[in-house]
Amino acid sequence: MPTIAIVGAGPGLGAAVARRFAREGFQVALISRDQAKLDALAAELGEDGVTARGYSADVRYAASLEAALAQAAADLGPITALQYSPLPSRSYLEPVLDLTPDLALEALRFSALGLIAAARTVLPAMREAGDGTIILINGGTSVQARPGFSGTSVAFPAESAYGEMLHDALADEGVRVVQLVIPGAIPKLQLPNGIDDVADRIWGLHETPGEFRTMLIPLEEGRE
């Protein structure tokens, strides 16, 4: 069975994506910091017929994330799809005049450097197989900076730049690297089927090669 690893898994989008991919025959590796919450989510998904296991990791520390992904691959098989979608801390949403080097570095570790660590862990197996998908989930500050959201306005564009470079570098190898930009809180976007519509879009990005960036809705219709 193919495996999707969801970095930043939780009861909202992570669970919806887990269920959507499971309908297509995927096993699910759930990755976030709290093992107890991961175990509870895996059990809940299991009641819906989803084969899921939790692996705790802190994306700010490369060794922690690399170890979790390596263990998931050892337990479930090579990772076919990686969703990188950890939810940034509200502490990163400081006004730009209050942004410090330390806070900017932590935001970069959380978004850009965490993605680099994750990608370097899963890409060897994907490249060997000639198939795989890395999916970035970002907010609107990945494409338009906002002075009241300075941490993500610095970190998301760096994450996006790395992802886009990977998209171009791997285009001829059968490995897809894509980004879905969600310019606002999902519950406020008034989607017909709510979060399930987002999970469907993510499945489509995995299934069908295309451009690097997809906007869930136009930027001007949403808010960070």
Side-chain angles (χ1 to χ4, degrees):
M1 295 174 67
T3 298
I4 180 171
I6 302 173
V7 178
L13 182 60
V17 169
R19 291 185 176 96
R20 182 65 183 86
F21 274 69
R23 293 208 308 267
E24 308 295 337
F26 276 72
Q27 304 173 105
V28 183
L30 306 166
I31 298 174
S32 69
R33 281 185 286 184
D34 192 317
Q35 186 66 50
K37 290 181 179 179
L38 288 171
D39 291 343
L41 180 57
E44 178 184 330
L45 290 169
E47 293 176 359
D48 295 333
V50 179
T51 301
R53 294 184 65 171
Y55 301 87
S56 63
D58 188 331
V59 300
R60 295 171 300 177
Y61 303 99
S64 173
L65 183 53
E66 291 163 357
L69 288 166
Q71 188 61 55
D75 292 341
L76 302 174
I79 293 168
T80 310
L82 169 74
Q83 176 176 301
Y84 193 82
S85 54
L87 184 66
S89 167
R90 293 197 63 82
S91 67
Y92 302 159
L93 308 182
E94 289 288 334
V96 64
L97 294 178
D98 295 329
L99 182 66
T100 64
D102 286 345
L103 184 59
L105 180 57
E106 183 173 336
L108 284 163
R109 283 178 174 153
F110 190 88
S111 296
L113 303 187
L115 173 64
I116 293 170
R120 289 179 60 84
T121 304
V122 302
L123 275 175
M126 289 183 179
R127 296 180 72 189
E128 182 177 356
D131 184 40
T133 308
I134 297 175
I135 306 161
L136 288 59
I137 308 295
N138 294 110
T141 51
S142 59
V143 294
Q144 181 176 319
R146 294 178 62 191
F149 296 75
S150 61
T152 59
S153 291
V154 168
F156 278 173
E159 180 184 339
S160 300
Y162 176 70
E164 188 166 14
M165 289 187 290
L166 282 183
H167 172 274
D168 295 343
L170 298 168
D172 296 330
E173 296 190 29
V175 178
R176 300 165 295 284
V177 183
V178 295
Q179 177 190 49
L180 179 64
V181 176
I182 305 175
I186 293 173
K188 298 180 180 179
L189 297 184
Q190 298 181 345
L191 302 170
N193 298 302
I195 206 164
D196 290 337
D197 284 346
V198 185
D200 282 339
R201 181 67 67 89
I202 292 169
W203 170 256
L205 292 175
H206 164 73
E207 189 178 38
T208 306
E211 300 296 321
F212 167 66
R213 176 174 292 146
T214 295
M215 302 293 298
L216 180 66
I217 63 172
L219 184 65
E220 62 274 11
E221 293 182 13
R223 287 188 62 81
E224 195 69 12

